[in-house]
């Protein structure tokens, strides 16, 4: 009887897959990737959010004098929602490879993957709606809607 139970448990693990704590869209070479978005204020203070590769949402803040970011865990988003936003961010950076517009307050979307030495950031002035920042405004709004699911 015991071998049957062990075999049954082993088969269940094999069929359901071994959980690594990462959504299915996150490959081994990207397990340190992060997505950040938020605002950079005129005094260079930063307020925003970060999504880890484990679909965990964090609040990110940095005052103008601090060198270190203050990161506080907020909660977890669903794996499917995470994968959808990750795909959206990656596609946006492929389509619009450079966006840096000055302003008193600037919004940003950032993708980092230190395992592959990748860091991309789009920055724009939220006061102006232009063809150049249209895609990243949409990405930002999508990330904001995701954030609100954790509130």
């Amino acid at each position: 009887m015991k071998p049957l139970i062990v075999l049954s448990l082993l088969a269940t693990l094999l069929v359901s897959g071994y959980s690594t704590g990462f959504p299915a869209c996150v490959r081994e070479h990207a397990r340190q990737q992060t997505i950040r978005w938020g605002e950079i204020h005129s005094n260079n203070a930063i307020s925003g959010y970060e999504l880890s590769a484990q679909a965990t949402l964090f609040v990110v803040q940095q005052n103008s004098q601090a060198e270190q970011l203050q990161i506080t865990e907020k909660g977890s988003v669903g794996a499917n929602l995470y994968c959808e936003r990750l795909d959206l961010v990656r596609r946006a950076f492929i389509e619009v490879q450079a966006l840096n517009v000055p302003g008193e307050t600037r919004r940003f979307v950032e993708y980092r993957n230190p395992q592959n030495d990748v860091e991309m950031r789009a920055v724009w002035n939220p006061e102006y709606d232009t063809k150049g920042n249209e895609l990243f405004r949409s990405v930002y709004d999508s990330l904001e809607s995701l954030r609100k699911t954790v509130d």
Side-chain angles (χ1 to χ4, degrees):
M1 185 69 171
K2 280 187 180 183
L4 186 58
I5 292 172
V6 171
L7 273 172
S8 174
L9 287 173
L10 188 58
T12 302
L13 281 174
L14 289 174
V15 170
S16 65
Y18 176 72
S19 175
T20 61
F22 294 93
C25 63
V26 178
R27 303 290 178 242
E28 191 170 329
H29 67 277
R31 290 190 173 168
Q32 292 178 11
Q33 70 189 354
T34 58
I35 299 168
R36 284 191 188 145
W37 71 97
E39 292 187 342
I40 304 167
H41 305 282
S42 59
N43 63 355
N44 287 328
I46 295 173
S47 58
Y49 301 91
E50 176 179 294
L51 264 176
S52 74
Q54 291 181 301
T56 304
L57 181 68
F58 297 89
V59 176
V60 176
Q61 295 183 326
Q62 181 180 36
N63 68 35
S64 57
Q65 288 81 31
E67 290 184 26
Q68 288 287 106
L69 288 172
Q70 297 174 350
I71 301 175
T72 308
E73 186 173 336
K74 188 168 176 69
S76 184
V77 302
N80 289 339
L81 290 173
Y82 173 82
C83 291
E84 289 171 6
R85 295 322 190 276
L86 176 63
D87 186 55
L88 186 66
V89 168
R90 286 178 175 167
R91 288 176 188 255
F93 277 111
I94 288 170
E95 189 171 326
V96 179
Q97 296 181 6
L99 180 61
N100 189 7
V101 179
E104 285 292 313
T105 298
R106 295 153 294 172
R107 288 198 173 150
F108 70 92
V109 173
E110 179 178 279
Y111 172 83
R112 290 180 181 205
N113 184 345
Q115 287 172 286
N116 293 333
D117 200 26
V118 174
E119 184 174 334
M120 297 177 278
R121 179 186 255 192
V123 180
W124 68 96
N125 186 336
E127 292 182 34
Y128 303 104
D129 294 341
T130 67
K131 186 72 173 160
N133 68 24
E134 180 179 40
L135 180 57
F136 278 101
R137 283 185 289 120
S138 173
V139 169
Y140 184 91
D141 291 344
S142 179
L143 290 166
E144 280 292 290
S145 70
L146 177 69
R147 171 190 64 84
K148 291 175 183 175
T149 67
V150 180
D151 283 342

